[in-house]
Amino acid sequence: MHQYRMPKRLISGCISVVSMESANVVIVGAGVVGLAVAASVSENSDGVYVFEKNARYGQETSSHNSAVIHSGIHYRNNSLKAKLCVKGNTMLYELCEKYQIPFKRLGKLTVAIGEEEVDELEKLMRMGTDNGVEGLEFLDGEDVRKLEPNVEVEKALLSPSTGIIEPDELMNHFYTRMRKNNAVLATETELQSLKKVDDRYEVGGVSMGEKFHVTAKTVVNCAGLYSDRVAAMAGLDVDKIGYRLYPCKGDYFRVAGKPLVKMLVYPVPKGPGLGIHLTPDLGGSIRLGPNAYYVDKIDYTVESNEKEFREDVTRFVPKIREFQIHEDSSGIRPKLEGPQDGFKDFVIRHEADRGLFGFINLVGIESPGLTAAPAIGELVAEMIESEIKK
């Protein structure tokens, strides 16, 4: 029987795993999904550790996004993205209300500018209905203007369950839960090797500047933008099995002055993203974005220009011409779809049939990953209970 020994070294409230010998569950990555997994898994498992290479949790994709609680209209029926988004939507609102996590249930308009885009709205309506999204409604241009006087379109699809949330506060909630369950976060701890040896995993890397080696019964890969690299460390051919990630960047601009809209307003999706949309934040200020373009490095500098964003949004909010907009931020999605690929689902998989019993991969957890996070946490905990703790 393995004893899960707590590390002894504490620096500024963060632990180093240098003195650790073994763990029960190691979760790689402390974004919103990794923290949600840790919170759920630690309910019924001891010896849970989260390894995060940055100095604080949630420093990458989880804090560089639109902060939208999605409804589930954009994802294929029976896909993990659809099922976990719809379930996560309900769970998030319940968490926000119970634990006073800042949020607003604003509703969203997905708009068709001309008749040629109405067919796409009808497809979204069908997908959303099939996925179990409630309250969807078609609106004509006049009804849209009653809700949002500055939006000029042919028709729109209203999804009332869409909202916004404060991602940092959601991550704080998951972190508090995992700590209450005695799970441990090790920051500045970067994984560099992962090898299956008999019935355990040898995990190696650098923690607060010092090399470490520990063993773990179960490893959960929640490494976000780096999850394909972690999968490859374990010995998987990520190109052969379709786990190679294609980082896809999106920039944001902010609109100065009085808010143009009260709801979220999205165009019909085209290309690798959902289109440049208008998203009120919790203070009422409006952000534009993100756009979507593939990159070969992780760099959060805004590379787009104001003209591109203004012209795109002018198609359905002509009044944007009268407002100043300025650079805000950017984010990078860990996409499984390359530039020429169609829809690809989340990978959430126990790799036992590939000779890696006890290794669970979460790869390509992009949007709607924030919305789906609590549902993903539950799913991974169920996998460990049913498949690994037999």
Side-chain angles (χ1 to χ4, degrees):
M1 180 177 177
H2 290 278
Q3 298 296 316
Y4 307 119
R5 301 184 182 180
M6 290 287 290
K8 298 175 183 177
R9 182 179 171 202
L10 279 165
I11 299 179
S12 301
C14 300
I15 69 107
S16 168
V17 298
V18 171
S19 60
M20 270 179 65
E21 294 181 7
S22 65
N24 182 12
V25 181
V26 166
I27 297 165
V28 184
V32 67
V33 171
L35 294 172
V37 169
S40 291
V41 169
S42 59
E43 292 285 345
N44 295 304
S45 297
D46 61 355
V48 176
Y49 292 84
V50 185
F51 292 176
E52 168 55 48
K53 69 181 183 64
N54 292 306
R56 191 182 186 279
Y57 54 78
Q59 295 299 289
E60 299 197 40
T61 305
S62 298
S63 56
H64 294 78
N65 58 63
S66 298
V68 173
I69 302 174
H70 286 287
S71 63
I73 65 173
H74 292 288
Y75 318 109
R76 288 184 183 175
N77 187 234
N78 289 322
S79 66
L80 283 174
K81 285 183 177 180
K83 291 187 284 189
L84 294 171
C85 179
V86 173
K87 182 178 181 181
N89 176 286
T90 300
M91 293 176 74
L92 270 191
Y93 284 123
E94 290 174 353
L95 286 175
C96 288
E97 290 172 355
K98 184 174 181 179
Y99 296 102
Q100 289 79 54
I101 299 167
F103 79 102
K104 287 184 180 178
R105 194 192 300 251
L106 298 174
K108 180 178 82 173
L109 295 171
T110 305
V111 300
I113 296 155
E115 282 293 340
E116 68 279 3
E117 293 185 344
V118 173
D119 288 346
E120 293 302 314
L121 282 190
E122 291 173 348
K123 290 178 185 177
L124 291 176
M125 177 76 156
R126 288 194 296 271
M127 275 201 300
T129 301
D130 290 345
N131 291 341
V133 180
E134 297 181 352
L136 297 176
E137 183 181 355
F138 269 121
L139 304 176
D140 62 24
E142 185 177 342
D143 290 332
V144 170
R145 281 189 292 276
K146 289 176 182 176
L147 290 173
E148 292 289 358
N150 292 324
V151 178
E152 298 182 15
V153 294
E154 188 75 25
K155 290 186 182 296
L157 176 61
L158 171 65
S159 48
S161 62
T162 304
I164 56 172
I165 191 170
E166 176 48 69
D168 285 346
E169 292 298 330
L170 179 63
M171 288 188 281
N172 290 343
H173 164 75
F174 288 134
Y175 176 67
T176 298
R177 273 177 52 191
M178 62 167 268
R179 291 295 297 125
K180 184 178 178 181
N181 297 334
N182 295 314
V184 178
L185 172 67
T187 56
E188 297 181 55
T189 299
E190 184 169 0
L191 191 73
Q192 295 181 334
S193 63
L194 177 62
K195 184 179 180 182
K196 184 84 159 63
V197 179
D198 298 326
D199 63 343
R200 295 183 69 79
Y201 288 87
E202 290 186 354
V203 181
V206 175
S207 181
M208 293 186 178
E210 297 185 48
K211 290 186 178 181
F212 73 89
H213 288 88
V214 300
T215 65
K217 179 183 177 184
T218 302
V219 176
V220 185
N221 175 13
C222 297
L225 291 164
Y226 310 93
S227 54
D228 55 346
R229 301 182 199 180
V230 173
M233 281 182 200
L236 296 172
D237 186 333
V238 295
D239 292 305
K240 182 177 180 180
I241 63 179
Y243 287 8
R244 176 69 65 194
L245 290 176
Y246 300 89
C248 188
K249 188 172 179 179
D251 296 324
Y252 295 88
F253 283 71
R254 191 168 293 272
V255 184
K258 183 179 178 181
L260 277 163
V261 294
K262 301 181 294 294
M263 307 171 69
L264 295 97
V265 183
Y266 280 54
V268 168
K270 295 175 183 176
L274 296 180
I276 295 174
H277 45 268
L278 291 87
T279 305
D281 64 17
L282 289 168
S285 177
I286 304 297
R287 283 205 302 169
L288 307 180
N291 55 355
Y293 55 99
Y294 288 93
V295 295
D296 56 11
K297 62 180 180 178
I298 307 303
D299 178 357
Y300 292 103
T301 305
V302 174
E303 299 179 57
S304 304
N305 61 68
E306 171 195 339
K307 183 180 178 181
E308 170 198 347
F309 275 64
R310 189 185 298 277
E311 287 180 352
D312 213 57
V313 175
T314 296
R315 297 182 308 123
F316 52 96
V317 184
K319 199 174 180 64
I320 190 73
R321 297 189 191 101
E322 302 172 18
F323 286 72
Q324 290 186 342
I325 64 175
H326 54 84
E327 290 183 8
D328 185 75
S329 60
S330 70
I332 301 176
R333 312 162 180 89
K335 275 191 170 294
L336 283 166
E337 300 101 325
Q340 308 304 319
D341 295 330
F343 175 85
K344 289 192 178 180
D345 203 3
F346 290 157
V347 171
I348 302 177
R349 192 177 192 277
H350 181 203
E351 304 288 0
D353 62 337
R354 294 186 171 125
L356 295 172
F357 183 86
F359 182 54
I360 298 175
N361 261 322
L362 282 72
V363 185
I365 312 298
E366 53 157 337
S367 180
L370 177 67
T371 306
I376 292 172
E378 274 196 0
L379 175 60
V380 173
E382 289 166 5
M383 292 169 71
I384 290 174
E385 288 291 320
S386 63
E387 299 176 27
I388 296 173
K389 278 189 171 182
K390 290 179 181 177

